[in-house]
Amino acid sequence: MAMKRLVSGMRTTGSLHLGHLEGTLKNWVKLQDKYECYFFAAVWHAFTDKFMENIPVLVKDMVTDWLSVGIDPKKAVIFRQSSMFEHAELSTILSNFTPLGWLERCPTFKDAVRDEDMRSGVSAGKLMYPVLMTSDIAVYNAEVVPVGKDQLPHLELSREIIRRFNSYCGQILKEPEASLSEVPLLLGIDNRKMSKSYNNSIELRETADNLKAKIQQMITDPQRVRRNDPGNPEVCTVFSYHKVYSPEKLEEICEGCKTAKIGCRDCKNMLFEKINNMLEPIRAKRGEIEANKGYVEDVIVSGEKIAHKVAGETMHEIRKAMGFI
Ligand code: TRP
Ligand code: SF4
């Protein structure tokens, strides 16, 4: 039986951190075996937040990270949204099937308007975010879309836009299903949301020394001042990482912390070993990829050939249905 088609994108924010790995990429690696996967660098969506410099480098770093964690170009089609005029064409068409109110009520848009304090500071691109996202999906007629919880309202809008298009133009586009996986939430080393802009992330390309230094800086239980003070692991960032990386030792760590049997330094060293062991093969793979000059560019260019072929077929159908040809 043919595999169902799956599409997902990641905004180009530069090299990736552990939050991306645990929240998205490990899931993508598994999905590659179950679905016909299309993964792309969402350059235009990243633009709705800020203008970026050096986009080719941003994209190359991100795709290199994808490949080094096991995204496999033999299994998945990898490409740049910004090379795909078909997404933009479909977005132009679908914008006319999208009531303005739907977009204005979208929670991410409302947040943007509130943050800017003034509507005029928010671009039309931001308003159109869900329409572009719908096009990213529909242009491949994808049935499955893995997204984080924060993206569910967008996907729900995509389904509505597609339904509305189909009701006018015939059943051309498939309604995509969200695929949500249970993903652990990793906080930044300062216990806030992990984000490059807070400077609190652990990057996949961290050297062992930097990783060690960052784990040393992690916020622990602030009440545990001296080595002999008992701690409360539930308020400790280090412990929240152990939940993800040391499930087999969790009870021991919890006990040890509460009874002051283990010190924070030992606890952090254990975490360092775990994360470092996980990153080691990823570093090695990245080394191989980077030694192979032009490889990442080749992967992207071949991906775009396939993507153009599939997207082109959908657009041909849509242009016919719209009466353009
Ligand atoms: N908005 C998504 C995010 O920020 C990225 C994205 C863009 C996407 N287009 C998509 C995800 C299409 C899935 C399908 O995570
Ligand atoms: Fe956190 Fe570990 Fe220190 Fe307890 S022992 S406060 S869990 S770092």
Side-chain angles (χ1 to χ4, degrees):
M1 216 173 74
M3 289 199 265
K4 285 188 179 174
R5 198 172 285 157
L6 173 153
V7 166
S8 202
M10 191 182 282
R11 278 173 289 167
T12 40
T13 51
S15 65
L16 303 179
H17 54 58
L18 288 187
H20 295 112
L21 177 63
E22 298 301 335
T24 308
L25 291 173
K26 284 191 176 173
N27 191 32
W28 283 11
V29 169
K30 285 196 220 132
L31 292 167
Q32 293 179 117
D33 294 317
K34 289 214 291 203
Y35 299 99
E36 181 192 343
C37 288
Y38 287 71
F39 296 132
F40 65 93
V43 178
W44 291 332
H45 278 112
F47 258 129
T48 66
D49 281 329
K50 65 169 198 256
F51 291 102
M52 297 160 291
E53 279 169 39
N54 253 332
I55 294 170
V57 175
L58 286 181
V59 171
K60 185 162 176 241
D61 285 351
M62 187 170 83
V63 173
T64 304
D65 281 348
W66 291 0
L67 301 177
S68 59
V69 303
I71 301 294
D72 181 350
K74 290 198 204 74
K75 297 179 185 168
V77 182
I78 294 167
F79 59 100
R80 294 165 290 203
Q81 183 188 41
S82 49
S83 300
M84 302 300 302
F85 60 86
E86 297 89 342
H87 296 215
E89 179 183 358
L90 185 53
S91 186
T92 301
I93 294 172
L94 291 180
S95 68
N96 295 296
F97 292 92
T98 310
L100 186 54
W102 291 5
L103 298 177
E104 286 176 325
R105 279 195 296 275
C106 182
T108 46
F109 181 71
K110 286 203 288 197
D111 285 350
V113 172
R114 204 187 45 226
D115 287 351
E116 294 290 332
D117 264 342
M118 204 175 46
R119 213 183 136 90
S120 60
V122 178
S123 66
K126 192 85 187 174
L127 182 72
M128 281 284 288
Y129 191 112
V131 180
L132 178 59
M133 187 161 153
T134 306
S135 310
D136 298 336
I137 299 165
V139 85
Y140 304 100
N141 239 323
E143 292 176 79
V144 182
V145 182
V147 284
K149 265 209 194 92
D150 62 318
Q151 296 294 318
L152 278 181
H154 290 151
L155 203 70
E156 201 39 56
L157 257 177
S158 294
R159 290 161 56 87
E160 282 178 86
I161 294 169
I162 287 172
R163 238 178 275 147
R164 203 146 188 273
F165 173 84
N166 280 343
S167 76
Y168 282 95
C169 296
Q171 296 297 314
I172 293 181
L173 299 173
K174 292 196 172 120
E175 246 184 77
E177 304 274 351
S179 143
L180 263 187
S181 62
E182 266 314 308
V183 293
L185 179 70
L186 286 180
L187 292 166
I189 57 172
D190 57 0
N191 214 31
R192 291 190 292 168
K193 181 177 176 281
M194 190 183 291
S195 159
K196 241 202 169 110
S197 50
Y198 293 159
N199 207 6
N200 65 358
S201 60
I202 297 179
E203 307 285 303
L204 296 186
R205 15 190 104 212
E206 219 74 77
T207 61
D209 286 346
N210 284 343
L211 177 63
K212 190 157 232 169
K214 284 197 173 170
I215 292 177
Q216 285 308 334
Q217 285 168 39
M218 273 188 184
I219 311 263
T220 57
D221 173 5
Q223 307 285 346
R224 193 171 186 202
V225 185
R226 279 175 299 260
R227 170 67 181 79
N228 292 336
D229 295 338
N232 174 7
E234 288 308 329
V235 300
C236 173
T237 315
V238 179
F239 190 69
S240 71
Y241 275 71
H242 276 303
K243 284 185 178 164
V244 177
Y245 293 111
S246 322
E248 78 294 347
K249 280 206 247 168
L250 210 57
E251 285 202 1
E252 191 187 318
I253 295 169
C254 188
E255 246 331 274
C257 174
K258 285 183 182 157
T259 56
K261 228 182 281 155
I262 58 168
C264 292
R265 185 169 288 272
D266 305 330
C267 191
K268 286 176 166 175
N269 282 339
M270 279 194 278
L271 182 62
F272 165 75
E273 290 300 329
K274 286 282 188 182
I275 298 182
N276 199 50
N277 287 343
M278 175 185 71
L279 290 184
E280 200 44 57
I282 297 176
R283 289 184 193 121
K285 183 90 181 276
R286 180 182 309 108
E288 279 169 31
I289 293 168
E290 285 178 342
N292 191 350
K293 292 264 171 283
Y295 174 68
V296 174
E297 187 57 24
D298 287 348
V299 164
I300 294 174
V301 170
S302 333
E304 285 169 1
K305 264 196 204 126
I306 301 173
H308 278 304
K309 184 166 178 295
V310 176
E313 283 164 14
T314 314
M315 285 318 299
H316 186 71
E317 287 309 307
I318 291 179
R319 290 180 203 125
K320 272 200 306 201
M322 295 290 298
F324 295 159
I325 51 175

